[in-house]
PDB file of all heavy atoms in Angstrom:
ATOM      1  N   GLU X 217       3.146  -3.945   0.128  1.00  0.00           N
ATOM      2  CA  GLU X 217       4.236  -3.345  -0.629  1.00  0.00           C
ATOM      3  C   GLU X 217       5.356  -4.319  -0.973  1.00  0.00           C
ATOM      4  O   GLU X 217       6.232  -3.999  -1.766  1.00  0.00           O
ATOM      5  CB  GLU X 217       4.816  -2.154   0.151  1.00  0.00           C
ATOM      6  CG  GLU X 217       3.815  -1.017   0.338  1.00  0.00           C
ATOM      7  CD  GLU X 217       4.406   0.154   1.100  1.00  0.00           C
ATOM      8  OE1 GLU X 217       5.570   0.031   1.542  1.00  0.00           O
ATOM      9  OE2 GLU X 217       3.721   1.175   1.249  1.00  0.00           O
ATOM     10  N   ARG X 602       5.504  10.908   5.976  1.00  0.00           N
ATOM     11  CA  ARG X 602       6.419  10.091   5.178  1.00  0.00           C
ATOM     12  C   ARG X 602       5.843   9.824   3.782  1.00  0.00           C
ATOM     13  O   ARG X 602       6.552   9.880   2.776  1.00  0.00           O
ATOM     14  CB  ARG X 602       6.687   8.773   5.898  1.00  0.00           C
ATOM     15  CG  ARG X 602       7.627   7.839   5.145  1.00  0.00           C
ATOM     16  CD  ARG X 602       7.919   6.581   5.957  1.00  0.00           C
ATOM     17  NE  ARG X 602       6.710   5.823   6.243  1.00  0.00           N
ATOM     18  CZ  ARG X 602       6.140   4.980   5.380  1.00  0.00           C
ATOM     19  NH1 ARG X 602       6.664   4.806   4.184  1.00  0.00           N
ATOM     20  NH2 ARG X 602       5.053   4.312   5.722  1.00  0.00           N
ATOM     21  N   LEU X 603       4.528   9.556   3.731  1.00  0.00           N
ATOM     22  CA  LEU X 603       3.877   9.311   2.441  1.00  0.00           C
ATOM     23  C   LEU X 603       3.913  10.562   1.563  1.00  0.00           C
ATOM     24  O   LEU X 603       4.111  10.475   0.342  1.00  0.00           O
ATOM     25  CB  LEU X 603       2.432   8.857   2.656  1.00  0.00           C
ATOM     26  CG  LEU X 603       2.241   7.461   3.267  1.00  0.00           C
ATOM     27  CD1 LEU X 603       0.761   7.212   3.525  1.00  0.00           C
ATOM     28  CD2 LEU X 603       2.794   6.388   2.344  1.00  0.00           C
ATOM     29  N   GLN X 606       7.281  10.730   0.028  1.00  0.00           N
ATOM     30  CA  GLN X 606       7.446   9.721  -1.023  1.00  0.00           C
ATOM     31  C   GLN X 606       6.690  10.115  -2.287  1.00  0.00           C
ATOM     32  O   GLN X 606       7.200   9.988  -3.408  1.00  0.00           O
ATOM     33  CB  GLN X 606       6.955   8.360  -0.529  1.00  0.00           C
ATOM     34  CG  GLN X 606       7.865   7.709   0.495  1.00  0.00           C
ATOM     35  CD  GLN X 606       7.319   6.369   0.958  1.00  0.00           C
ATOM     36  OE1 GLN X 606       6.260   6.294   1.570  1.00  0.00           O
ATOM     37  NE2 GLN X 606       8.039   5.315   0.669  1.00  0.00           N
ATOM     38  N   MET X 607       5.444  10.600  -2.116  1.00  0.00           N
ATOM     39  CA  MET X 607       4.642  10.977  -3.292  1.00  0.00           C
ATOM     40  C   MET X 607       5.247  12.181  -4.002  1.00  0.00           C
ATOM     41  O   MET X 607       5.199  12.279  -5.230  1.00  0.00           O
ATOM     42  CB  MET X 607       3.199  11.249  -2.862  1.00  0.00           C
ATOM     43  CG  MET X 607       2.432   9.980  -2.498  1.00  0.00           C
ATOM     44  SD  MET X 607       0.644  10.216  -2.286  1.00  0.00           S
ATOM     45  CE  MET X 607       0.622  11.165  -0.769  1.00  0.00           C
ATOM     46  N   LEU X 610       8.152  10.866  -6.009  1.00  0.00           N
ATOM     47  CA  LEU X 610       7.667  10.134  -7.174  1.00  0.00           C
ATOM     48  C   LEU X 610       7.081  11.075  -8.229  1.00  0.00           C
ATOM     49  O   LEU X 610       7.222  10.838  -9.429  1.00  0.00           O
ATOM     50  CB  LEU X 610       6.619   9.106  -6.744  1.00  0.00           C
ATOM     51  CG  LEU X 610       7.155   7.881  -5.992  1.00  0.00           C
ATOM     52  CD1 LEU X 610       5.995   7.066  -5.415  1.00  0.00           C
ATOM     53  CD2 LEU X 610       7.996   7.015  -6.902  1.00  0.00           C
ATOM     54  N   GLU X 643       1.932   3.143 -10.548  1.00  0.00           N
ATOM     55  CA  GLU X 643       1.344   2.143  -9.649  1.00  0.00           C
ATOM     56  C   GLU X 643       1.706   2.428  -8.202  1.00  0.00           C
ATOM     57  O   GLU X 643       0.865   2.291  -7.297  1.00  0.00           O
ATOM     58  CB  GLU X 643       1.815   0.739 -10.051  1.00  0.00           C
ATOM     59  CG  GLU X 643       1.229   0.252 -11.374  1.00  0.00           C
ATOM     60  CD  GLU X 643       1.793  -1.098 -11.801  1.00  0.00           C
ATOM     61  OE1 GLU X 643       2.762  -1.554 -11.157  1.00  0.00           O
ATOM     62  OE2 GLU X 643       1.268  -1.688 -12.760  1.00  0.00           O
ATOM     63  N   GLU X 644       2.966   2.846  -7.959  1.00  0.00           N
ATOM     64  CA  GLU X 644       3.396   3.166  -6.597  1.00  0.00           C
ATOM     65  C   GLU X 644       2.620   4.367  -6.054  1.00  0.00           C
ATOM     66  O   GLU X 644       2.192   4.369  -4.893  1.00  0.00           O
ATOM     67  CB  GLU X 644       4.897   3.455  -6.575  1.00  0.00           C
ATOM     68  CG  GLU X 644       5.769   2.224  -6.803  1.00  0.00           C
ATOM     69  CD  GLU X 644       7.250   2.565  -6.853  1.00  0.00           C
ATOM     70  OE1 GLU X 644       7.602   3.726  -6.547  1.00  0.00           O
ATOM     71  OE2 GLU X 644       8.054   1.691  -7.208  1.00  0.00           O
ATOM     72  N   VAL X 645       2.433   5.383  -6.896  1.00  0.00           N
ATOM     73  CA  VAL X 645       1.676   6.566  -6.463  1.00  0.00           C
ATOM     74  C   VAL X 645       0.241   6.194  -6.112  1.00  0.00           C
ATOM     75  O   VAL X 645      -0.312   6.640  -5.101  1.00  0.00           O
ATOM     76  CB  VAL X 645       1.698   7.656  -7.565  1.00  0.00           C
ATOM     77  CG1 VAL X 645       0.703   8.766  -7.247  1.00  0.00           C
ATOM     78  CG2 VAL X 645       3.099   8.233  -7.707  1.00  0.00           C
ATOM     79  N   GLU X 646      -0.367   5.347  -6.929  1.00  0.00           N
ATOM     80  CA  GLU X 646      -1.738   4.916  -6.671  1.00  0.00           C
ATOM     81  C   GLU X 646      -1.847   4.191  -5.324  1.00  0.00           C
ATOM     82  O   GLU X 646      -2.771   4.435  -4.543  1.00  0.00           O
ATOM     83  CB  GLU X 646      -2.206   3.994  -7.798  1.00  0.00           C
ATOM     84  CG  GLU X 646      -3.661   3.554  -7.679  1.00  0.00           C
ATOM     85  CD  GLU X 646      -4.093   2.670  -8.833  1.00  0.00           C
ATOM     86  OE1 GLU X 646      -3.381   2.650  -9.857  1.00  0.00           O
ATOM     87  OE2 GLU X 646      -5.125   1.993  -8.708  1.00  0.00           O
ATOM     88  N   THR X 647      -0.878   3.323  -5.039  1.00  0.00           N
ATOM     89  CA  THR X 647      -0.871   2.589  -3.763  1.00  0.00           C
ATOM     90  C   THR X 647      -0.686   3.540  -2.593  1.00  0.00           C
ATOM     91  O   THR X 647      -1.374   3.435  -1.567  1.00  0.00           O
ATOM     92  CB  THR X 647       0.247   1.539  -3.766  1.00  0.00           C
ATOM     93  OG1 THR X 647       0.039   0.635  -4.856  1.00  0.00           O
ATOM     94  CG2 THR X 647       0.259   0.752  -2.463  1.00  0.00           C
ATOM     95  N   LEU X 648       0.265   4.480  -2.730  1.00  0.00           N
ATOM     96  CA  LEU X 648       0.534   5.437  -1.647  1.00  0.00           C
ATOM     97  C   LEU X 648      -0.666   6.347  -1.401  1.00  0.00           C
ATOM     98  O   LEU X 648      -0.988   6.675  -0.248  1.00  0.00           O
ATOM     99  CB  LEU X 648       1.774   6.269  -1.986  1.00  0.00           C
ATOM    100  CG  LEU X 648       3.113   5.516  -2.033  1.00  0.00           C
ATOM    101  CD1 LEU X 648       4.230   6.441  -2.475  1.00  0.00           C
ATOM    102  CD2 LEU X 648       3.443   4.910  -0.677  1.00  0.00           C
ATOM    103  N   GLU X 649      -1.332   6.774  -2.479  1.00  0.00           N
ATOM    104  CA  GLU X 649      -2.508   7.635  -2.313  1.00  0.00           C
ATOM    105  C   GLU X 649      -3.624   6.913  -1.569  1.00  0.00           C
ATOM    106  O   GLU X 649      -4.305   7.506  -0.722  1.00  0.00           O
ATOM    107  CB  GLU X 649      -3.006   8.101  -3.692  1.00  0.00           C
ATOM    108  CG  GLU X 649      -2.124   9.158  -4.327  1.00  0.00           C
ATOM    109  CD  GLU X 649      -2.597   9.540  -5.716  1.00  0.00           C
ATOM    110  OE1 GLU X 649      -3.427   8.786  -6.287  1.00  0.00           O
ATOM    111  OE2 GLU X 649      -2.145  10.578  -6.242  1.00  0.00           O
ATOM    112  N   ALA X 650      -3.810   5.626  -1.882  1.00  0.00           N
ATOM    113  CA  ALA X 650      -4.839   4.857  -1.179  1.00  0.00           C
ATOM    114  C   ALA X 650      -4.527   4.767   0.313  1.00  0.00           C
ATOM    115  O   ALA X 650      -5.411   4.924   1.167  1.00  0.00           O
ATOM    116  CB  ALA X 650      -4.943   3.456  -1.786  1.00  0.00           C
ATOM    117  N   ARG X 651      -3.250   4.520   0.637  1.00  0.00           N
ATOM    118  CA  ARG X 651      -2.851   4.452   2.050  1.00  0.00           C
ATOM    119  C   ARG X 651      -2.982   5.815   2.709  1.00  0.00           C
ATOM    120  O   ARG X 651      -3.394   5.913   3.878  1.00  0.00           O
ATOM    121  CB  ARG X 651      -1.407   3.940   2.146  1.00  0.00           C
ATOM    122  CG  ARG X 651      -0.862   3.832   3.574  1.00  0.00           C
ATOM    123  CD  ARG X 651      -1.683   2.909   4.418  1.00  0.00           C
ATOM    124  NE  ARG X 651      -1.145   2.794   5.772  1.00  0.00           N
ATOM    125  CZ  ARG X 651      -1.837   2.402   6.825  1.00  0.00           C
ATOM    126  NH1 ARG X 651      -3.115   2.067   6.699  1.00  0.00           N
ATOM    127  NH2 ARG X 651      -1.276   2.320   8.016  1.00  0.00           N
ATOM    128  N   TRP X 652      -2.647   6.897   1.988  1.00  0.00           N
ATOM    129  CA  TRP X 652      -2.752   8.264   2.524  1.00  0.00           C
ATOM    130  C   TRP X 652      -4.202   8.578   2.899  1.00  0.00           C
ATOM    131  O   TRP X 652      -4.474   9.130   3.974  1.00  0.00           O
ATOM    132  CB  TRP X 652      -2.230   9.240   1.468  1.00  0.00           C
ATOM    133  CG  TRP X 652      -2.113  10.668   1.923  1.00  0.00           C
ATOM    134  CD1 TRP X 652      -1.035  11.285   2.476  1.00  0.00           C
ATOM    135  CD2 TRP X 652      -3.139  11.671   1.847  1.00  0.00           C
ATOM    136  NE1 TRP X 652      -1.308  12.591   2.764  1.00  0.00           N
ATOM    137  CE2 TRP X 652      -2.603  12.871   2.385  1.00  0.00           C
ATOM    138  CE3 TRP X 652      -4.447  11.676   1.385  1.00  0.00           C
ATOM    139  CZ2 TRP X 652      -3.341  14.044   2.458  1.00  0.00           C
ATOM    140  CZ3 TRP X 652      -5.186  12.843   1.466  1.00  0.00           C
ATOM    141  CH2 TRP X 652      -4.634  14.016   1.993  1.00  0.00           C
ATOM    142  N   LEU X 653      -5.129   8.233   2.017  1.00  0.00           N
ATOM    143  CA  LEU X 653      -6.542   8.460   2.298  1.00  0.00           C
ATOM    144  C   LEU X 653      -7.001   7.646   3.497  1.00  0.00           C
ATOM    145  O   LEU X 653      -7.750   8.130   4.362  1.00  0.00           O
ATOM    146  CB  LEU X 653      -7.385   8.100   1.068  1.00  0.00           C
ATOM    147  CG  LEU X 653      -7.292   9.055  -0.126  1.00  0.00           C
ATOM    148  CD1 LEU X 653      -7.970   8.435  -1.337  1.00  0.00           C
ATOM    149  CD2 LEU X 653      -7.941  10.393   0.212  1.00  0.00           C
TER     150      LEU X 653
END
Side-chain angles (χ1 to χ4, degrees):
E217 296 180 356
R602 180 177 61 82
L603 291 175
Q606 288 179 296
M607 288 191 290
L610 288 170
E643 290 176 351
E644 290 177 9
V645 169
E646 184 179 344
T647 301
L648 293 176
E649 286 177 345
R651 180 59 179 158
W652 187 92
L653 288 170

